[in-house]
mmCIF file of all heavy atoms in Angstrom:
data_model
loop_
_atom_site.group_PDB
_atom_site.id
_atom_site.type_symbol
_atom_site.label_atom_id
_atom_site.label_comp_id
_atom_site.label_asym_id
_atom_site.label_seq_id
_atom_site.Cartn_x
_atom_site.Cartn_y
_atom_site.Cartn_z
ATOM 1 N N GLN A 193 -60.897 -45.174 6.979
ATOM 2 C CA GLN A 193 -60.818 -46.108 8.024
ATOM 3 C C GLN A 193 -60.707 -45.454 9.481
ATOM 4 O O GLN A 193 -60.257 -46.032 10.396
ATOM 5 C CB GLN A 193 -59.523 -47.091 7.955
ATOM 6 C CG GLN A 193 -59.558 -47.857 6.600
ATOM 7 C CD GLN A 193 -58.397 -48.800 6.499
ATOM 8 O OE1 GLN A 193 -57.285 -48.244 6.286
ATOM 9 N NE2 GLN A 193 -58.582 -50.050 6.685
ATOM 10 N N ARG A 215 -43.905 -49.495 18.357
ATOM 11 C CA ARG A 215 -44.780 -50.517 18.872
ATOM 12 C C ARG A 215 -43.945 -51.387 19.846
ATOM 13 O O ARG A 215 -43.045 -52.033 19.460
ATOM 14 C CB ARG A 215 -45.412 -51.304 17.719
ATOM 15 C CG ARG A 215 -46.518 -52.202 18.230
ATOM 16 C CD ARG A 215 -47.140 -52.880 16.955
ATOM 17 N NE ARG A 215 -47.860 -51.956 16.118
ATOM 18 C CZ ARG A 215 -48.280 -52.201 14.801
ATOM 19 N NH1 ARG A 215 -47.994 -53.406 14.315
ATOM 20 N NH2 ARG A 215 -48.926 -51.310 14.188
ATOM 21 N N SER A 227 -55.318 -61.526 47.792
ATOM 22 C CA SER A 227 -56.156 -60.254 47.908
ATOM 23 C C SER A 227 -56.754 -60.170 49.267
ATOM 24 O O SER A 227 -57.179 -59.002 49.558
ATOM 25 C CB SER A 227 -57.155 -60.425 46.802
ATOM 26 O OG SER A 227 -58.128 -61.502 47.144
ATOM 27 N N GLY A 228 -56.822 -61.156 50.100
ATOM 28 C CA GLY A 228 -57.483 -61.012 51.355
ATOM 29 C C GLY A 228 -56.477 -60.615 52.487
ATOM 30 O O GLY A 228 -56.758 -59.834 53.397
ATOM 31 N N SER A 229 -55.326 -61.127 52.343
ATOM 32 C CA SER A 229 -54.369 -61.089 53.500
ATOM 33 C C SER A 229 -53.256 -60.012 53.305
ATOM 34 O O SER A 229 -52.500 -59.807 54.218
ATOM 35 C CB SER A 229 -53.732 -62.421 53.718
ATOM 36 O OG SER A 229 -52.921 -62.828 52.614
ATOM 37 N N MET A 232 -53.146 -53.030 51.864
ATOM 38 C CA MET A 232 -52.984 -52.211 50.690
ATOM 39 C C MET A 232 -51.533 -51.559 50.538
ATOM 40 O O MET A 232 -50.902 -51.527 49.525
ATOM 41 C CB MET A 232 -54.007 -51.095 50.668
ATOM 42 C CG MET A 232 -55.473 -51.524 50.651
ATOM 43 S SD MET A 232 -55.883 -52.630 49.333
ATOM 44 C CE MET A 232 -55.845 -51.470 47.824
ATOM 45 N N ARG A 235 -48.524 -53.743 49.121
ATOM 46 C CA ARG A 235 -48.663 -54.426 47.883
ATOM 47 C C ARG A 235 -47.694 -53.820 46.751
ATOM 48 O O ARG A 235 -47.275 -52.690 46.920
ATOM 49 C CB ARG A 235 -50.126 -54.180 47.320
ATOM 50 C CG ARG A 235 -51.100 -54.877 48.227
ATOM 51 C CD ARG A 235 -52.531 -54.669 47.702
ATOM 52 N NE ARG A 235 -53.439 -55.426 48.512
ATOM 53 C CZ ARG A 235 -54.649 -55.841 48.110
ATOM 54 N NH1 ARG A 235 -55.103 -55.505 46.828
ATOM 55 N NH2 ARG A 235 -55.468 -56.546 48.920
ATOM 56 N N ALA A 240 -51.496 -51.713 38.912
ATOM 57 C CA ALA A 240 -51.660 -50.308 39.263
ATOM 58 C C ALA A 240 -50.676 -49.476 38.426
ATOM 59 O O ALA A 240 -50.979 -48.383 37.937
ATOM 60 C CB ALA A 240 -51.404 -50.108 40.716
ATOM 61 N N ARG A 250 -52.313 -40.801 27.249
ATOM 62 C CA ARG A 250 -53.224 -39.844 26.656
ATOM 63 C C ARG A 250 -52.721 -38.411 26.820
ATOM 64 O O ARG A 250 -52.800 -37.634 25.928
ATOM 65 C CB ARG A 250 -54.670 -39.959 27.291
ATOM 66 C CG ARG A 250 -55.361 -41.271 26.862
ATOM 67 C CD ARG A 250 -55.856 -42.074 28.003
ATOM 68 N NE ARG A 250 -56.683 -41.370 28.988
ATOM 69 C CZ ARG A 250 -57.978 -41.427 29.016
ATOM 70 N NH1 ARG A 250 -58.688 -42.169 28.185
ATOM 71 N NH2 ARG A 250 -58.587 -40.843 29.986
ATOM 72 N N CYS A 261 -51.570 -42.488 20.879
ATOM 73 C CA CYS A 261 -50.939 -43.588 21.707
ATOM 74 C C CYS A 261 -52.045 -44.440 22.153
ATOM 75 O O CYS A 261 -53.070 -44.031 22.664
ATOM 76 C CB CYS A 261 -50.302 -42.944 22.865
ATOM 77 S SG CYS A 261 -48.789 -41.952 22.637
ATOM 78 N N THR A 262 -51.850 -45.790 21.999
ATOM 79 C CA THR A 262 -52.854 -46.790 22.309
ATOM 80 C C THR A 262 -52.305 -47.956 23.150
ATOM 81 O O THR A 262 -51.305 -48.484 22.788
ATOM 82 C CB THR A 262 -53.367 -47.387 20.974
ATOM 83 O OG1 THR A 262 -53.853 -46.299 20.184
ATOM 84 C CG2 THR A 262 -54.545 -48.340 21.335
ATOM 85 N N GLY A 264 -53.430 -51.320 23.664
ATOM 86 C CA GLY A 264 -54.484 -52.225 23.102
ATOM 87 C C GLY A 264 -54.698 -53.547 23.812
ATOM 88 O O GLY A 264 -55.702 -54.213 23.676
ATOM 89 N N VAL A 266 -53.865 -55.754 27.573
ATOM 90 C CA VAL A 266 -53.425 -55.832 28.966
ATOM 91 C C VAL A 266 -53.693 -57.295 29.345
ATOM 92 O O VAL A 266 -54.742 -57.814 29.182
ATOM 93 C CB VAL A 266 -54.165 -54.930 29.870
ATOM 94 C CG1 VAL A 266 -53.788 -55.136 31.391
ATOM 95 C CG2 VAL A 266 -53.829 -53.532 29.559
ATOM 96 N N THR A 268 -53.037 -59.880 32.743
ATOM 97 C CA THR A 268 -52.739 -59.947 34.116
ATOM 98 C C THR A 268 -52.394 -61.368 34.579
ATOM 99 O O THR A 268 -53.059 -62.272 34.144
ATOM 100 C CB THR A 268 -53.893 -59.401 34.980
ATOM 101 O OG1 THR A 268 -55.124 -60.044 34.566
ATOM 102 C CG2 THR A 268 -54.130 -57.980 34.761
ATOM 103 N N GLY A 271 -53.884 -63.352 37.301
ATOM 104 C CA GLY A 271 -55.125 -63.039 36.636
ATOM 105 C C GLY A 271 -56.328 -63.714 37.190
ATOM 106 O O GLY A 271 -57.240 -64.059 36.555
ATOM 107 N N ALA A 275 -56.126 -62.625 43.741
ATOM 108 C CA ALA A 275 -54.731 -62.329 43.851
ATOM 109 C C ALA A 275 -54.392 -60.942 43.308
ATOM 110 O O ALA A 275 -54.860 -60.596 42.195
ATOM 111 C CB ALA A 275 -53.880 -63.415 43.105
ATOM 112 N N ARG A 287 -47.969 -43.348 17.431
ATOM 113 C CA ARG A 287 -47.836 -42.928 15.911
ATOM 114 C C ARG A 287 -47.843 -41.398 15.862
ATOM 115 O O ARG A 287 -48.626 -40.688 16.464
ATOM 116 C CB ARG A 287 -49.007 -43.477 15.101
ATOM 117 C CG ARG A 287 -49.158 -44.991 15.316
ATOM 118 C CD ARG A 287 -50.120 -45.615 14.280
ATOM 119 N NE ARG A 287 -50.460 -46.973 14.518
ATOM 120 C CZ ARG A 287 -50.883 -47.828 13.726
ATOM 121 N NH1 ARG A 287 -51.044 -47.572 12.473
ATOM 122 N NH2 ARG A 287 -51.113 -49.082 14.098
ATOM 123 N N GLU A 312 -44.959 -47.865 42.397
ATOM 124 C CA GLU A 312 -45.698 -49.125 42.882
ATOM 125 C C GLU A 312 -44.721 -50.188 43.290
ATOM 126 O O GLU A 312 -45.178 -51.368 43.391
ATOM 127 C CB GLU A 312 -46.532 -49.518 41.673
ATOM 128 C CG GLU A 312 -47.539 -48.543 41.210
ATOM 129 C CD GLU A 312 -48.542 -48.036 42.305
ATOM 130 O OE1 GLU A 312 -48.872 -48.936 43.201
ATOM 131 O OE2 GLU A 312 -49.021 -46.985 42.330
ATOM 132 N N GLY A 354 -52.947 -42.758 9.916
ATOM 133 C CA GLY A 354 -52.467 -43.507 11.011
ATOM 134 C C GLY A 354 -52.159 -44.974 10.537
ATOM 135 O O GLY A 354 -51.092 -45.463 10.768
ATOM 136 N N GLN B 193 -50.669 -66.211 56.301
ATOM 137 C CA GLN B 193 -50.725 -66.110 54.820
ATOM 138 C C GLN B 193 -50.669 -64.592 54.300
ATOM 139 O O GLN B 193 -51.137 -64.380 53.184
ATOM 140 C CB GLN B 193 -51.949 -66.756 54.237
ATOM 141 C CG GLN B 193 -52.177 -68.202 54.639
ATOM 142 C CD GLN B 193 -53.429 -68.806 54.168
ATOM 143 O OE1 GLN B 193 -54.456 -68.638 54.723
ATOM 144 N NE2 GLN B 193 -53.306 -69.627 53.086
ATOM 145 N N SER B 227 -56.086 -48.204 16.052
ATOM 146 C CA SER B 227 -55.188 -47.398 16.867
ATOM 147 C C SER B 227 -54.438 -46.342 16.085
ATOM 148 O O SER B 227 -53.960 -45.348 16.580
ATOM 149 C CB SER B 227 -54.172 -48.306 17.586
ATOM 150 O OG SER B 227 -53.374 -48.999 16.503
ATOM 151 N N GLY B 228 -54.445 -46.476 14.723
ATOM 152 C CA GLY B 228 -53.736 -45.496 13.927
ATOM 153 C C GLY B 228 -54.639 -44.454 13.387
ATOM 154 O O GLY B 228 -54.282 -43.267 13.338
ATOM 155 N N SER B 229 -55.928 -44.749 13.080
ATOM 156 C CA SER B 229 -56.775 -43.748 12.387
ATOM 157 C C SER B 229 -57.816 -43.041 13.289
ATOM 158 O O SER B 229 -58.539 -42.223 12.886
ATOM 159 C CB SER B 229 -57.574 -44.548 11.312
ATOM 160 O OG SER B 229 -58.383 -45.514 11.820
ATOM 161 N N MET B 232 -57.383 -39.240 19.370
ATOM 162 C CA MET B 232 -57.516 -39.501 20.847
ATOM 163 C C MET B 232 -58.859 -38.895 21.368
ATOM 164 O O MET B 232 -59.547 -39.590 22.108
ATOM 165 C CB MET B 232 -56.413 -38.773 21.529
ATOM 166 C CG MET B 232 -55.025 -39.252 21.187
ATOM 167 S SD MET B 232 -54.685 -41.058 21.351
ATOM 168 C CE MET B 232 -54.621 -41.238 23.107
ATOM 169 N N ARG B 235 -62.097 -41.257 20.973
ATOM 170 C CA ARG B 235 -62.042 -42.699 21.403
ATOM 171 C C ARG B 235 -63.104 -42.898 22.502
ATOM 172 O O ARG B 235 -63.426 -42.116 23.330
ATOM 173 C CB ARG B 235 -60.710 -43.016 21.894
ATOM 174 C CG ARG B 235 -59.620 -42.975 20.679
ATOM 175 C CD ARG B 235 -58.289 -43.339 21.132
ATOM 176 N NE ARG B 235 -57.389 -43.339 19.958
ATOM 177 C CZ ARG B 235 -56.173 -43.951 19.918
ATOM 178 N NH1 ARG B 235 -55.804 -44.641 21.019
ATOM 179 N NH2 ARG B 235 -55.488 -43.895 18.830
ATOM 180 N N ALA B 240 -59.376 -47.362 29.348
ATOM 181 C CA ALA B 240 -59.058 -46.130 30.187
ATOM 182 C C ALA B 240 -60.026 -46.123 31.348
ATOM 183 O O ALA B 240 -59.668 -45.731 32.483
ATOM 184 C CB ALA B 240 -59.329 -44.976 29.335
ATOM 185 N N ARG B 250 -58.014 -48.107 45.315
ATOM 186 C CA ARG B 250 -57.033 -47.944 46.374
ATOM 187 C C ARG B 250 -57.418 -46.793 47.339
ATOM 188 O O ARG B 250 -57.270 -46.845 48.535
ATOM 189 C CB ARG B 250 -55.681 -47.697 45.830
ATOM 190 C CG ARG B 250 -55.099 -48.976 45.158
ATOM 191 C CD ARG B 250 -54.567 -48.770 43.816
ATOM 192 N NE ARG B 250 -53.669 -47.667 43.536
ATOM 193 C CZ ARG B 250 -52.253 -47.831 43.448
ATOM 194 N NH1 ARG B 250 -51.741 -48.949 43.510
ATOM 195 N NH2 ARG B 250 -51.597 -46.706 43.218
ATOM 196 N N CYS B 261 -59.139 -53.776 48.718
ATOM 197 C CA CYS B 261 -59.868 -53.824 47.352
ATOM 198 C C CYS B 261 -58.760 -54.261 46.400
ATOM 199 O O CYS B 261 -57.729 -53.718 46.272
ATOM 200 C CB CYS B 261 -60.388 -52.515 46.931
ATOM 201 S SG CYS B 261 -61.763 -51.883 47.943
ATOM 202 N N THR B 262 -59.090 -55.239 45.541
ATOM 203 C CA THR B 262 -58.206 -55.850 44.573
ATOM 204 C C THR B 262 -58.867 -55.990 43.197
ATOM 205 O O THR B 262 -59.901 -56.604 43.159
ATOM 206 C CB THR B 262 -57.754 -57.221 45.006
ATOM 207 O OG1 THR B 262 -57.201 -57.186 46.384
ATOM 208 C CG2 THR B 262 -56.691 -57.735 44.118
ATOM 209 N N GLY B 264 -57.966 -58.098 40.317
ATOM 210 C CA GLY B 264 -56.980 -59.212 40.146
ATOM 211 C C GLY B 264 -56.951 -59.643 38.723
ATOM 212 O O GLY B 264 -55.936 -60.261 38.262
ATOM 213 N N VAL B 266 -57.735 -58.413 34.457
ATOM 214 C CA VAL B 266 -58.120 -57.497 33.497
ATOM 215 C C VAL B 266 -58.074 -58.205 32.038
ATOM 216 O O VAL B 266 -56.992 -58.824 31.876
ATOM 217 C CB VAL B 266 -57.216 -56.175 33.455
ATOM 218 C CG1 VAL B 266 -57.621 -55.345 32.181
ATOM 219 C CG2 VAL B 266 -57.542 -55.432 34.692
ATOM 220 N N THR B 268 -58.687 -57.577 27.910
ATOM 221 C CA THR B 268 -59.050 -56.585 26.922
ATOM 222 C C THR B 268 -59.369 -57.236 25.679
ATOM 223 O O THR B 268 -58.865 -58.316 25.213
ATOM 224 C CB THR B 268 -57.696 -55.746 26.670
ATOM 225 O OG1 THR B 268 -56.563 -56.615 26.439
ATOM 226 C CG2 THR B 268 -57.444 -54.862 27.853
ATOM 227 N N GLY B 271 -58.020 -56.846 22.242
ATOM 228 C CA GLY B 271 -56.858 -57.214 22.922
ATOM 229 C C GLY B 271 -55.579 -57.357 21.910
ATOM 230 O O GLY B 271 -54.760 -58.220 22.153
ATOM 231 N N ALA B 275 -55.490 -51.974 18.171
ATOM 232 C CA ALA B 275 -56.900 -51.549 18.321
ATOM 233 C C ALA B 275 -57.146 -50.900 19.670
ATOM 234 O O ALA B 275 -56.656 -51.518 20.710
ATOM 235 C CB ALA B 275 -57.856 -52.777 18.182
ATOM 236 N N ARG B 287 -62.950 -56.479 50.711
ATOM 237 C CA ARG B 287 -63.140 -57.198 51.910
ATOM 238 C C ARG B 287 -62.990 -56.241 53.120
ATOM 239 O O ARG B 287 -62.141 -55.332 53.172
ATOM 240 C CB ARG B 287 -62.027 -58.301 52.095
ATOM 241 C CG ARG B 287 -61.941 -59.197 50.915
ATOM 242 C CD ARG B 287 -61.107 -60.410 51.192
ATOM 243 N NE ARG B 287 -60.880 -61.231 49.891
ATOM 244 C CZ ARG B 287 -60.547 -62.541 49.897
ATOM 245 N NH1 ARG B 287 -60.439 -63.189 50.999
ATOM 246 N NH2 ARG B 287 -60.345 -63.090 48.867
ATOM 247 N N GLU B 312 -65.399 -41.625 29.947
ATOM 248 C CA GLU B 312 -64.839 -42.252 28.781
ATOM 249 C C GLU B 312 -65.771 -42.607 27.651
ATOM 250 O O GLU B 312 -65.511 -43.311 26.762
ATOM 251 C CB GLU B 312 -63.987 -43.427 29.196
ATOM 252 C CG GLU B 312 -62.858 -43.149 30.148
ATOM 253 C CD GLU B 312 -61.835 -42.148 29.699
ATOM 254 O OE1 GLU B 312 -61.593 -42.187 28.446
ATOM 255 O OE2 GLU B 312 -61.276 -41.419 30.483
ATOM 256 N N GLY B 354 -58.198 -61.764 56.173
ATOM 257 C CA GLY B 354 -58.635 -61.532 54.878
ATOM 258 C C GLY B 354 -59.154 -62.877 54.182
ATOM 259 O O GLY B 354 -60.228 -62.960 53.682
#
Side-chain angles (χ1 to χ4, degrees):
Chain A
Q193 303 179 284
R215 192 174 290 168
S227 64
S229 63
M232 301 303 287
R235 296 182 176 200
R250 291 129 48 105
C261 293
T262 305
V266 172
T268 48
R287 306 192 190 202
E312 301 298 332
Chain B
Q193 303 179 283
S227 63
S229 63
M232 301 304 287
R235 295 183 175 199
R250 291 130 48 103
C261 291
T262 305
V266 171
T268 48
R287 307 193 190 203
E312 301 297 332

